[in-house]
Amino acid sequence: MATLRETAEKYGPLSEAEAEWLALLTADWQIIADLSFADLVMWRKVEDGFVAVAQCRPSTGPTVHQDDVVGTMAAAGRVAHLQRALDEGGITASREPRWDETYAVREDALPIVMDGKPVGVLTREVSQAVSRSSSRLELNYKGAADDLLHMITRGEFPRQMSVTGSRRGAPRVGDGVLRLDAAGHVTYASPNALSCFHRLGVTGSLMNRSLPRVTSELVTDKGHIDETLAMVVMGRAPWRADVEANGATLSLRAIPVTEYGERIGAVLLCRDVSELRRRERELITKDATIREIHHRVKNNLQTVAALLRLQSRRVQAPEAKEALAEAMRRVSTIALVHETLSGTLDELVNFDDLAGRSMRMAAEVASPGVQVKLLREGDFGLIPAQYASSLALVMTELVTNAVEHGFEGREHGIITVTAERTDESRLRVVIADDGKGLSAEPSGLGSQIVRTLVENELGGEIVWRRTETGSAVDVHVQVGE
């Protein structure tokens, strides 16, 4: 799907600043469409007239355009109206409704201004198929929309610092709308907005009351007030804030209304997000619990490794010492994975860092008298936590095997680890050394552990082979669904 900039640039060059301005407008114009109960269409002027480059349908009323109009040229009868909006520089109403199939459409056009220069035309199109008298809510919604549209003609909307992201719980027009004057007094509150504040503990009407004072009286825990809340309820800044009281949580978003740079009021959107915030807190608690479990498992495994180390010091038989050392190394590798998981909320592990640490530890423990140079090529990428322990053990065993058997009788050696993602779910790893090479496929406990993990836990295959400079192991494993 083409971006707004890609679509717009098909019909002429667009500067970086203009593209950003238009993208910022389309990121926030759903509010205007909903307040207007109307479709919005963005037009660019071209040699043959005007072409539509973006559109927005209302969620509060019927749409005019059943089909997308992006990429279509304005009809010849509409060109003069669009050009008049550019020439006059304000909101221009069509002299007569136009007919689309069986119903009439009333259309307003206005220039999209940035830094005093028009960069496009915006049309607000309302179907006349449904005839009804405007309610108080509709009159206030349309009045708020007109305020924002006038700001577009002066280059005062959208706001560069406005919060337009899709953060969970973002309030929408249907959730509740308030209009404020310059002093923060409520000049209108929609029924849904009034219901939201009643849940916070407000009694009676909000009309003509100071919203900052009302909010301040509701919040009893002054130590946990959102620092931006005062600016939002005054309508001074285009920010978002949450307010909590009486077990309810409201998400508020302010859109200051300005006239030639002077703030004359604000439109405030509100939404009851009590249940959403409660679930988020539960998830945070669960995440913290999971991290704590990983941390405790890591500590317990490190204790087991320390006990194995103490036990190995008391054992005289070389085979027993070696067996305890191998067990200690494997436990330490699993502990390293849990240490990594305890520091993240994600179920994905950055395996490049984990692999580097586990392989260095394996090389140092396997043969302290050999100086091993570890080389890395390619990236492992992000590995799901369910595969991390098995893959880390495989890497540790293979590096250990290369050090112990490939470099026997030598003072130094090189191990090269090459990682390659063959697709999103498959990983190929090659561990090569410049040692004496393989005489036969390994059959010890370590190789048995590796084969079992690769084939049974990681759904892959493993092949040992001799090379011109030593030996190599090819591992193909599944690291995703």
Side-chain angles (χ1 to χ4, degrees), residues 3 18 32 51-52 107 112 130 133 143 151 178 185 193 213 263 292 323 349 367 413 422 459 466 477:
T3 64
E18 290 171 344
I32 301 176
V51 62
E107 178 179 282
I112 303 170
V130 180
S133 59
M151 289 173 63
L178 297 95
H185 291 84
R213 179 175 297 176
R263 187 173 60 85
E292 179 62 20
V349 178
S367 185
T422 55
R466 189 182 182 91
V477 293

Side-chain angles (χ1 to χ4, degrees), residues 17-25 112-114 119 155 157-158 160:
E18 290 171 344
E20 183 180 347
W21 187 261
L22 295 179
L24 197 60
L25 174 58
I112 303 170
V113 177
M114 184 194 76
V119 294
F157 187 89
Q160 292 285 356

